[in-house]
Every structure is written in structure tokens, then in C-alpha cells.
């Protein structure tokens, strides 16, 4: 990867001209008689992490500003946007396969505009691939160019040439309109990018350098969210606990300030890097009632040798020290982690170190991944890649152990009454609602959908490995 990826720019993007173009697009639709009776439709398909989900809400906001109306299937759309992920090969394959399927929709509806954004197309090779092999894709835009969407749509709508944007401008897009997926659960981005360059990871190359939003902008947004009915707010960032909002405002101070806002809501944060998991942050979790007692603290590997190769900047002893502090300060805390198996050079002994960490920390849940080489990262160039069968076998062993631990951890909730938020209708059983509290597992209850978006007291009756069941009290 070239030096331009290392450059840091943390200034605000000038979004105003693009909002004007969004207006022009809306006027074009109006002129074409499509604004009032039969609005044009947009569909956004999102892959990847919460950052992408938050970005998609901004894409949706811009689509709304351009006069489009949301639809839930791509077949009805006049504008399809795909927000891609690049973190593992599988994520890229899935995105490419979906984009491939959209060709049929374009064949049926030649005026359909298809645009692709996100981490995959922030890599030059991928943007080129779409340019060359997917002629029905009108444009791609990198993760720093979200605010330029109106000009890309305007260009496509007015018959301009296809565009493939790689701006590499890592700015902050303050002031973009947002169309949120949910009223009661909200993403609140507080910082963007990553400076850590873990040797396996593509994110720093496709998300740029760390840049924190101003604390006052975040607090204002939090106030608006809460006034608008948000009950569950997640502060988002690739390394959310490295937040630095000026005047010494770190994540702990920011959380105290948000918790001081009047209202019945709870606050989460994700994802934290162990190197910046400070005592102040642990204390904020311990003392602020509104902060959910869940800490996602990815360790990635339980071998000090591998952690060094991964460039993770901590060892297992330091990590375990932080976990001990956390458990002491917040005795009932739920702890989760991300773990990679099969990193280049990982031996059976290294892997046993990871299993040992699972036993020692006793995570409530882990997100585990088989290492996937990413072009341009140092680990992809390492010679001692682990054969897939070996990684798969280790992965299965790890899951078996973690499932046992998760099961045991969940048992502590049996018979307890928990205050949880009714988040939505259960995907598996429409007569049930899915709720969530401090416990990381969903809790299913039989209840009326009118309760969605409210806090309810639930007595836990049944505990399984992946979910709990309970009944609403009162
Ligand atoms: N910023 C977060 C998470 C970033 S990506 C953090 O540092 O923890 C989410 C997870 O994907 C990572 O935690 C890691 O476990 C996994 N991941 C990243 N690159 C990967 C790769 N090349 N192969 C497999 N898993 C990977
Ligand atoms: Fe990737 Fe490491 Fe940055 Fe997380 S901290 S996004 S794993 S480089
Ligand atoms: Fe994927 Fe980009 Fe998130 S690579 S995990 S969508 S930051």
C-alpha cells in the first residue's frame, strides 16, 4: 500500500455543496413527475460491521434528501447502493455475488442506478475490478467520500460517464442527514479510522487515520436522539476507547457527559482496543447506571508471540490485568472478545494459549474468525501460512469450549429479574419479542409488539447457550 494511506487529515469535509446537489436531484425527480405520487425508490444493502451500518444510515439520509423513498427489496428500486466490507475474503465474495445478481434487475430496468461504496471498493484493485467486470455498476465511492453521493447520483441520472472515486480523504462528514433504521436503538459514531495497523487487518487502509468528532457535536446528537425516543445508544468507533475529543475529553468523560443528559436510556460502546482500556473507562462503567455492563475487549490471540506478530501492542499478562480490574470494579460484567485462529505461524502451543485465555477470562461470548489473508497487509506476506484444515479444526475446538463456557456463564441469569429493552419481534418466532439488557444474549418473551421500544422487567425462566427465555413481570 502506498504512503498516501498513512497520511492523516482530520478536518471536516465541506458537505454543503453536496447537499445542494441533493436538492437538484430531488428537483429532477419532481420535474420528471416522480416526486409526489410515485417517488423514486432506493435500496441500501449493508455488509460488515456497525460502522458500515451507521454509514448506511447516512447514505439513506442522502437518498431521502434526493427525493427517494426506501424500499425493502432491490427489485423495486431505482437506486441500489451496496455498502461493502473487506475484513475477510468471505465478506468480499458475498458482496461481489450480490452485485452480480443485481445485473438481472438492471436488465429489466435499464434506468436503475447501481452504486457501490464501503471498505471493499476503497481498495484500488477492487474499484478497478468493478469498473472492468461490472459494466452495469454506475459508480463506486470510498469510505471517505460518502458525502459525495449526491453528485455521483446526479451524474448517473443525467447520463454522465461512470465514476470510480478513490479520494483517500479521511475527513469528518459533520452535518449529513441521517435516516435511522430504528427509533429506539441508535448508532452514534464518535470517531472514525484506525492507527493501529494490526498486521492482519485491512481496516486502517480502508478507513484512514483516527479522527474524533468534537464532544459538543456528539452530545448535541445524543440529546436529539434521546428527545426523539432513543433508548439504547451505542458509541461507535474502530477503537472507540481511543477517542480524543479535544481539551482532554476522553471516552470516559464523554460517557459521563452523555449519561448526565436527562432521560431513560442506556449507553454502550464498541469496539475497544485493550491498549486504551483505561481505569477511567472501567470506572465510568462501574459508576454510571446508564452504562450497560458489557465490555467488548478483543484479545485476538492468547499467545504472546502471536500477539507480537499481530502488532497488538499488549501481552496476555497486561490484558488479564485489565480484565481482573474490570471484574473487580463491575462484578457482574459481561465480557466478549474477537479471536482469530490460524494466524501465520500459529502452532498448536500458541493455540492452546488461546484456549487457556478462554478458560481464564470466561467470556460470555466470542466472535471467532479463521484468519483470512488480506492483500497489502504484512501478515499476508508472511511465509508460514497455516493450512486451512488445521485452522478449521482449531476453530471447531475453540467453539466447543466457548459454547460450554457461554452456557455456564448464561446460567447466572436463571431466575433473575432483568430490566431489558424490547428491541423487536423475534426473527424465529413472530409471537415473541427479542429483548436485551446487560446480558449479551437475547432474551425472548411472549409479549405484545406495542412494547417494542420500552424497557420491561423480565424474569428469566430458561437459559440456553445462545439465548434466554423469560416472562414479563407486571
Ligand atoms: N477495531 C476492532 C475490530 C476490527 S475488525 C478491533 O480492533 O478489535 C473485527 C474483527 O475482525 C477483528 O477484531 C478481528 O478479530 C477480525 N479480523 C480482522 N482482520 C481479519 C483477518 N484478516 N482475518 C480474520 N479475521 C480478521
Ligand atoms: Fe484492525 Fe487492529 Fe485497527 Fe482493530 S485495531 S481495526 S483489528 S488494525
Ligand atoms: Fe468490514 Fe470495513 Fe467494518 S472492512 S468490518 S465494514 S470497517
Amino acid at each position: 500500500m502506498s504512503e498516501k494511506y498513512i497520511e492523516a487529515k482530520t478536518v471536516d469535509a465541506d458537505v454543503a455543496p453536496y447537499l445542494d446537489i441533493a436538492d437538484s436531484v430531488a428537483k429532477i425527480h419532481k420535474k420528471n413527475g416522480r416526486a409526489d405520487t410515485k417517488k423514486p425508490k432506493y435500496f441500501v444493502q449493508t455488509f460488515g460491521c456497525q460502522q458500515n451500518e451507521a454509514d448506511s444510515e447516512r447514505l439513506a439520509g442522502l437518498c431521502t434528501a434526493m427525493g427517494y423513498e426506501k424500499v425493502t427489496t432491490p427489485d423495486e428500486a431505482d437506486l441500489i447502493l451496496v455498502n461493502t466490507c473487506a475484513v475477510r475474503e468471505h465478506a468480499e465474495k458475498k458482496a461481489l455475488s450480490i452485485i452480480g445478481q443485481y445485473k438481472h434487475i438492471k436488465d429489466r430496468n435499464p434506468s436503475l442506478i447501481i452504486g457501490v461504496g464501503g471498505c471493499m471498493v476503497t481498495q484500488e484493485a477492487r474499484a478497478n475490478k468493478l469498473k472492468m467486470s461490472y459494466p452495469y455498476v454506475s459508480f463506486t465511492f470510498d469510505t471517505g467520500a460518502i458525502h459525495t453521493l449526491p453528485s455521483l447520483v446526479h451524474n448517473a441520472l443525467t447520463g454522465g460517464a461512470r465514476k470510480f472515486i478513490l479520494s483517500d480523504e479521511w475527513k469528518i462528514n459533520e452535518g449529513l442527514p441521517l435516516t435511522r433504521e430504528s427509533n429506539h436503538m441508535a448508532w452514534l459514531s464518535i470517531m472514525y479510522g484506525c492507527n493501529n495497523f494490526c498486521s492482519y487487518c485491512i481496516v486502517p487502509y480502508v478507513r484512514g487515520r483516527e479522527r474524533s468528532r468534537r464532544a459538543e457535536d456528539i452530545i448535541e446528537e445524543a440529546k436529539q436522539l434521546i428527545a426523539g425516543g432513543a433508548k439504547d445508544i451505542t458509541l461507535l468507533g474502530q477503537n472507540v476507547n481511543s477517542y480524543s475529543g479535544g481539551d482532554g475529553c476522553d471516552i470516559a468523560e464523554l460517557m459521563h457527559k452523555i449519561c448526565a443528559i436527562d432521560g431513560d436510556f442506556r449507553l454502550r460502546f464498541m469496539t475497544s482496543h485493550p491498549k486504551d482500556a483505561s481505569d477511567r473507562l472501567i470506572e465510568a462503567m462501574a459508576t454510571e447506571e446508564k452504562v450497560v455492563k458489557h465490555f467488548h475487549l478483543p484479545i485476538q490471540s492468547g499467545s504472546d508471540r502471536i500477539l507480537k506478530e499481530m502488532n497488538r501492542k499488549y501481552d496476555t499478562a497486561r490484558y488479564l490485568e485489565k480484565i481482573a480490574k474490570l471484574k473487580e470494579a463491575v462484578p457482574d460484567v459481561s465480557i466478549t472478545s474477537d479471536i482469530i485462529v490460524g494466524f501465520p505461524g500459529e502452532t498448536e502451543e500458541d493455540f492452546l494459549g488461546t484456549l487457556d485465555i478462554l478458560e481464564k477470562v470466561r467470556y460470555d461470548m466470542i466472535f471467532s474468525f479463521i484468519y483470512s489473508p488480506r492483500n497489502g497487509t504484512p501478515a499476508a506476506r508472511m511465509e508460514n501460512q497455516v493450512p486451512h484444515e488445521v485452522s478449521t479444526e482449531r476453530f471447531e475446538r475453540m467453539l466447543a469450549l466457548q459454547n460450554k463456557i457461554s452456557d455456564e456463564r448464561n446460567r447466572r441469569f436463571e431466575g433473575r429479574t432483568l430490566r431489558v429493552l424490547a428491541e423487536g419481534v423475534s426473527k424465529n418466532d413472530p409471537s415473541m419479542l427479542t429483548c436485551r439488557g446487560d446480558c449479551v444474549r437475547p432474551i425472548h418473551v411472549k409479549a405484545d409488539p406495542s412494547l417494542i421500544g420500552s424497557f420491561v422487567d423480565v424474569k428469566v425462566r430458561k437459559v440456553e447457550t445462545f439465548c434466554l427465555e423469560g416472562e414479563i413481570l407486571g
Side-chain angles (χ1 to χ4, degrees):
M1 297 270 173
S2 68
E3 276 299 305
K4 65 185 173 190
Y5 287 101
I6 315 292
E7 206 177 309
K9 282 187 193 157
T10 59
V11 285
D12 283 348
D14 187 8
V15 304
Y18 295 102
L19 298 181
D20 289 345
I21 301 175
D23 256 359
S24 310
V25 173
K27 280 186 190 129
I28 294 176
H29 289 312
K30 208 168 193 153
K31 208 167 128 210
N32 294 345
R34 300 210 52 191
D36 302 319
T37 44
K38 192 175 170 293
K39 276 190 169 187
K41 313 278 191 274
Y42 78 89
F43 175 77
V44 180
Q45 170 92 50
T46 310
F47 295 94
C49 65
Q50 294 88 353
Q51 264 80 16
N52 258 17
E53 286 181 27
D55 284 349
S56 286
E57 292 185 340
R58 296 192 289 167
L59 294 175
L62 288 168
C63 289
T64 308
M66 288 187 283
Y68 288 88
E69 193 174 73
K70 181 179 165 177
V71 282
T72 48
T73 64
D75 307 83
E76 310 163 60
D78 301 286
L79 170 64
I80 297 180
L81 298 173
V82 187
N83 196 3
T84 59
C85 170
V87 79
R88 285 169 289 277
E89 191 188 2
H90 181 65
E92 293 197 326
K93 277 195 169 152
K94 252 181 20 196
L96 289 172
S97 145
I98 288 275
I99 298 165
Q101 291 168 31
Y102 290 159
K103 179 174 185 302
H104 305 297
I105 308 179
K106 176 83 179 178
D107 287 344
R108 280 202 309 272
N109 173 15
S111 66
L112 168 68
I113 299 172
I114 301 176
V116 183
C119 295
M120 183 178 82
V121 291
T122 304
Q123 305 164 95
E124 204 168 350
R126 292 287 181 239
N128 278 339
K129 186 182 166 91
L130 284 168
K131 185 176 177 179
M132 306 311 285
S133 313
Y134 296 74
Y136 50 91
V137 169
S138 298
F139 57 84
T140 67
F141 54 105
D142 62 63
T143 56
I146 285 176
H147 58 289
T148 67
L149 179 72
S151 73
L152 293 165
V153 172
H154 185 275
N155 177 66
L157 205 58
T158 52
R162 299 165 73 218
K163 290 210 167 168
F164 296 84
I165 305 289
L166 271 175
S167 59
D168 292 336
E169 284 199 322
W170 311 115
K171 294 182 180 172
I172 292 184
N173 297 318
E174 210 56 74
L176 285 188
L178 272 160
T179 301
R180 295 187 186 270
E181 278 291 308
S182 158
N183 208 31
H184 53 281
M185 288 155 68
W187 306 124
L188 178 45
S189 296
I190 65 166
M191 63 177 297
Y192 307 98
C194 175
N195 289 350
N196 291 317
F197 289 92
C198 299
S199 62
Y200 50 82
C201 187
I202 196 71
V203 171
Y205 305 93
V206 294
R207 285 277 172 180
R209 296 297 63 74
E210 283 177 8
R211 52 219 186 269
S212 296
R213 290 178 67 196
R214 282 174 292 272
E216 59 268 28
D217 290 339
I218 297 168
I219 288 159
E220 188 47 45
E221 191 175 337
K223 280 183 183 160
Q224 285 173 12
L225 282 170
I226 294 156
K231 298 278 187 251
D232 185 301
I233 298 177
T234 305
L235 305 182
L236 279 190
Q238 278 304 338
N239 301 282
V240 76
N241 58 332
S242 312
Y243 174 79
S244 169
D247 293 332
C249 182
D250 63 357
I251 185 161
E253 188 178 328
L254 184 70
M255 281 166 57
H256 288 305
K257 284 182 170 158
I258 295 175
C259 288
I261 301 171
D262 270 346
D264 191 12
F265 66 93
R266 62 192 186 187
L267 191 63
R268 304 172 182 270
F269 57 100
M270 70 158 162
T271 293
S272 298
H273 193 294
K275 77 174 167 51
D276 292 324
S278 65
D279 292 352
R280 284 169 53 79
L281 175 56
I282 293 174
E283 195 220 321
M285 179 178 280
T287 56
E288 291 289 358
E289 215 180 302
K290 289 173 178 167
V291 175
V292 173
K293 310 304 175 219
H294 167 212
F295 212 123
H296 181 60
L297 198 60
I299 188 165
Q300 310 295 357
S301 166
S303 151
D304 287 338
R305 194 181 65 80
I306 295 288
L307 284 175
K308 216 172 165 119
E309 292 284 307
M310 287 179 160
N311 191 28
R312 284 292 288 182
K313 305 178 181 95
Y314 54 82
D315 58 16
T316 51
R318 260 186 69 204
Y319 180 89
L320 289 172
E321 230 172 75
K322 300 211 176 189
I323 294 286
K325 273 189 188 166
L326 176 61
K327 285 181 174 171
E328 199 189 326
V330 191
D332 198 28
V333 67
S334 295
I335 307 175
T336 56
S337 192
D338 292 352
I339 295 187
I340 296 176
V341 292
F343 181 84
E346 183 191 75
T347 61
E348 175 66 15
E349 197 189 337
D350 294 320
F351 173 67
L352 290 178
T354 300
L355 295 188
D356 187 49
I357 287 288
L358 299 194
E359 301 270 17
K360 284 190 172 126
V361 179
R362 296 183 58 73
Y363 293 110
D364 287 82
M365 178 164 78
I366 61 167
F367 299 89
S368 46
F369 310 103
I370 291 179
Y371 167 73
S372 169
R374 304 284 68 212
N375 246 343
T377 61
R381 294 189 291 271
M382 292 177 183
E383 270 165 15
N384 39 4
Q385 302 285 322
V386 175
H388 195 69
E389 320 77 78
V390 176
S391 305
T392 312
E393 191 268 340
R394 285 180 190 160
F395 184 81
E396 297 296 335
R397 268 153 71 200
M398 185 168 76
L399 272 196
L401 172 61
Q402 180 55 42
N403 285 348
K404 182 176 140 282
I405 295 171
S406 293
D407 198 71
E408 288 161 10
R409 289 287 295 155
N410 291 350
R411 304 238 160 254
R412 75 187 192 278
F413 294 112
E414 203 154 18
R416 263 210 233 169
T417 300
L418 306 175
R419 186 165 189 264
V420 296
L421 179 69
E423 290 187 348
V425 174
S426 158
K427 285 191 188 105
N428 297 331
D429 179 350
S431 71
M432 308 282 272
L433 298 186
T434 298
C435 310
R436 217 174 293 252
D438 288 344
C439 155
V440 292
R441 300 289 177 184
I443 305 172
H444 300 297
V445 294
K446 250 203 172 49
D448 194 87
S450 62
L451 285 175
I452 292 170
S454 316
F455 286 110
V456 286
D457 287 326
V458 166
K459 190 160 178 90
V460 178
R461 296 287 184 209
K462 199 167 137 199
V463 173
E464 290 172 9
T465 310
F466 303 110
C467 62
L468 315 179
E469 236 181 82
E471 68 189 66
I472 293 188
L473 299 180

